[in-house]
Amino acid sequence: PVTPTFPAILCVKINPTIDVVAVSTKDGTLSLHRIDWQRLWRSVSPGNEATCLTWREDGKILAVGRRNGDVELFHVENGNRSGESAVCPSWTVERMTERCDENEEGSGER
């Protein structure tokens, strides 16, 4: 039998208000799952994986820090990008201070 392989998980962030979890993987996939692991939505950005995730306090928007330095905001309901400015949303400043992969050996990238 063939054993499926899965990309390495970089970040996992549980929503503060509803039972969902955001997951980013090494292949550039960002997905939102229910606690029973049912996938609600997925976004793929090959070569520009998410290195940091944080939720807005109300749990409705997910801020995603990308390897290239971009910050994207996603709606929890459907994964659509938010129209809210991602330059420096005040609610992300204190939460996006550490990278998911900063303990990764040999990374050296910032």
Side-chain angles (χ1 to χ4, degrees):
V2 176
T3 304
T5 59
F6 300 97
I9 293 174
L10 294 176
C11 301
V12 174
K13 195 70 168 184
I14 296 172
N15 186 294
T17 61
I18 57 176
D19 292 337
V20 296
V21 61
V23 178
S24 71
T25 59
K26 190 79 171 170
D27 68 352
T29 300
L30 171 68
S31 55
L32 188 72
H33 298 266
R34 293 191 189 281
I35 298 302
D36 67 4
W37 213 242
Q38 173 191 4
R39 187 173 67 205
L40 300 175
W41 54 260
R42 181 176 99 140
S43 173
V44 180
S45 185
N48 193 22
E49 62 270 11
T51 59
C52 187
L53 305 173
T54 193
W55 289 100
R56 193 168 69 182
E57 291 169 356
D58 64 7
K60 293 181 180 181
I61 301 287
L62 175 67
V64 178
R66 297 283 185 183
R67 179 155 311 277
N68 69 357
D70 289 347
V71 175
E72 295 177 307
L73 304 176
F74 292 87
H75 286 283
V76 68
E77 297 92 3
N78 53 25
N80 289 340
R81 285 183 177 82
S82 170
E84 185 177 341
S85 172
V87 174
C88 192
S90 61
W91 55 271
T92 64
V93 173
E94 63 187 49
R95 294 189 190 126
M96 293 187 103
T97 57
E98 64 182 52
R99 296 167 54 100
C100 295
D101 64 347
E102 66 184 5
N103 293 326
E104 197 175 291
E105 288 185 37
S107 172
E109 294 180 31
R110 276 276 172 217

